[in-house]
Amino acid sequence: MKLVSELLSIALTAAPWLLLGLVIAGLIKAWMPEHLLQRWMGGRGLGSITRAAVIGMPLPLCSCGAIPTALALHRGGAGRGPTTSFLISTPGVGVDSVLLTSVLLGPVMALARVLGALVTAIVTGVLVGFTKSPVVAPVAASGCCASKSCGESHAHSEAPAGGWQRSRAGLRYAFSDLLDDISAWVFAGLLLAGVLVTLVPPNTMAGFSGGLVALMLMAVIGIPLYICAAAATPVAAGLLLAGISPGMALVFLLAGPITSLATLAILRRELGNQALAVYVGSVLLITVLIGWLFDITLGITGWNPVEQASQVQELLPAWLEWLALAVLALVAFRPLRKRLLGF
């Protein structure tokens, strides 16, 4: 019963913010057409790489969803550096995951996550930009991107004309394709967080945390995983409560969502072995360095992410949390969603 209670507590805390994040993601999807992305990401310099990182951060795409969009932008004229930067920043954070991080881990951790993803995307984009372009064969869809929905629903095609039609199309995408992509992972993340909070006593893992070796181990664990940014958040919260350092939790939040085996395989075919080696090495070293600096900063300032998270969680009334959770449960169930919303 304690597991159910902890799971429900975490789900109630996250539900309103995840719901709000989906709404914002749908509106961003509706009002940011692909031709603008291609224009803003054109070029090969630091400005283009930085713009690609900033543009990618709020977009509602997971790792697999970012792959076809990034490839389309690259073949439409975006340079290697901006393409890599976009491929890191887009799945690394999103409006839904940032809101969840603020609630479950505190605003300082949320800010560190955003800045960490931005720095990782820009530096890795710059380094990959110096690599040589291989002769590229046509890339077939692979892994999670082999499905029809990934290639179609995640591509930033033009939305229908008219304000309401555009917004409705974006919300349809957020509460159907995007929610279908992340719902199973989010539930798994919530379940794992509930297990950690219930079965692992506080500070159990404290002896394994701290130092560059522990941070490096967390990055090595996170890089090959496929876990979306929203699902990684409750897992990181559970690990933090189990005793790992905030820097290790931050490394997991950065390294897990921005890499997956599908991302690495397609990156290799599109940009070459040299770019892949630079990509993996850069993500590994930068995320570890960011986590290390974050632990040092928290030690100097005395900030406690867990205490901050508990203060944020008290902002919303219980009835609103239950309502948001009920709405999410309804729209996540496809037959009910089709019957009620027509999505």
Side-chain angles (χ1 to χ4, degrees):
M1 289 301 296
K2 185 180 179 183
L3 174 59
V4 176
S5 176
E6 292 290 349
L7 177 60
L8 185 60
S9 175
I10 298 172
L12 285 171
T13 299
W17 305 99
L18 181 57
L19 190 63
L20 177 61
L22 287 170
V23 171
I24 297 174
L27 296 178
I28 291 173
K29 165 71 176 178
W31 293 95
M32 188 174 286
E34 183 179 333
H35 71 87
L36 289 181
L37 295 181
Q38 290 177 333
R39 187 176 68 187
W40 291 336
M41 289 174 57
R44 303 177 185 275
L46 179 60
S48 299
I49 293 172
T50 303
R51 284 196 300 272
V54 173
I55 291 169
M57 296 182 78
L59 295 183
L61 297 176
C62 61
S63 177
C64 282
I67 291 172
T69 306
L71 294 185
L73 294 171
H74 181 240
R75 295 175 182 183
R80 297 163 63 80
T83 300
T84 302
S85 180
F86 181 86
L87 196 57
I88 289 176
S89 69
T90 304
V93 289
V95 287
D96 52 347
S97 59
V98 171
L99 290 172
L100 282 179
T101 306
S102 298
V103 175
L104 297 179
L105 297 169
V108 170
M109 184 71 86
L111 178 61
R113 185 178 190 179
V114 171
L115 294 178
L118 185 64
V119 170
T120 304
I122 292 174
V123 174
T124 305
V126 170
L127 294 177
V128 171
F130 286 115
T131 61
K132 296 180 181 180
S133 300
V135 177
V136 180
V139 178
S142 160
C144 55
C145 290
S147 66
K148 179 180 178 182
S149 61
C150 183
E152 294 180 355
S153 64
H154 289 302
H156 282 256
S157 58
E158 298 290 347
W164 167 243
Q165 287 81 1
R166 292 172 70 97
S167 299
R168 190 174 189 277
L171 293 174
R172 179 191 297 272
Y173 163 77
F175 286 95
S176 55
D177 296 322
L178 179 60
L179 185 59
D180 288 343
D181 283 344
I182 70 172
S183 57
W185 294 104
V186 170
F187 178 77
L190 292 172
L191 182 60
L192 180 55
V195 170
L196 289 170
V197 173
T198 304
L199 302 181
V200 182
N203 298 322
T204 298
M205 301 179 65
F208 299 97
S209 66
L212 290 175
V213 175
L215 294 168
M216 187 76 72
L217 178 62
M218 185 60 73
V220 170
I221 292 173
I223 284 178
L225 292 179
Y226 174 68
I227 183 170
C228 69
T233 308
V235 176
L239 291 171
L240 188 61
L241 292 174
I244 71 170
S245 71
M248 289 181 68
L250 181 60
V251 169
F252 178 78
L253 290 173
L254 293 176
I258 65 178
T259 56
S260 68
L261 293 180
T263 304
L264 298 180
I266 293 182
L267 183 77
R268 174 180 175 273
R269 295 188 62 180
E270 186 74 10
L271 301 182
N273 290 328
Q274 186 182 23
L276 175 64
V278 171
Y279 180 96
V280 173
S282 177
V283 168
L284 179 67
L285 294 178
I286 294 171
T287 55
V288 168
L289 179 61
I290 290 173
W292 179 65
L293 292 175
F294 188 58
D295 276 339
I296 292 177
T297 302
L298 292 181
I300 295 174
T301 60
W303 290 331
N304 189 328
V306 177
E307 291 181 359
Q308 290 185 342
S310 63
Q311 294 172 1
V312 175
Q313 291 170 12
E314 297 172 357
L315 294 176
L316 298 180
W319 66 266
L320 184 58
E321 293 180 341
W322 279 101
L323 178 62
L325 184 59
V327 171
L328 280 176
L330 288 175
V331 295
F333 189 55
R334 294 183 188 180
L336 282 178
R337 181 176 69 210
K338 292 179 180 179
R339 183 180 296 274
L340 296 175
L341 301 177
F343 286 3

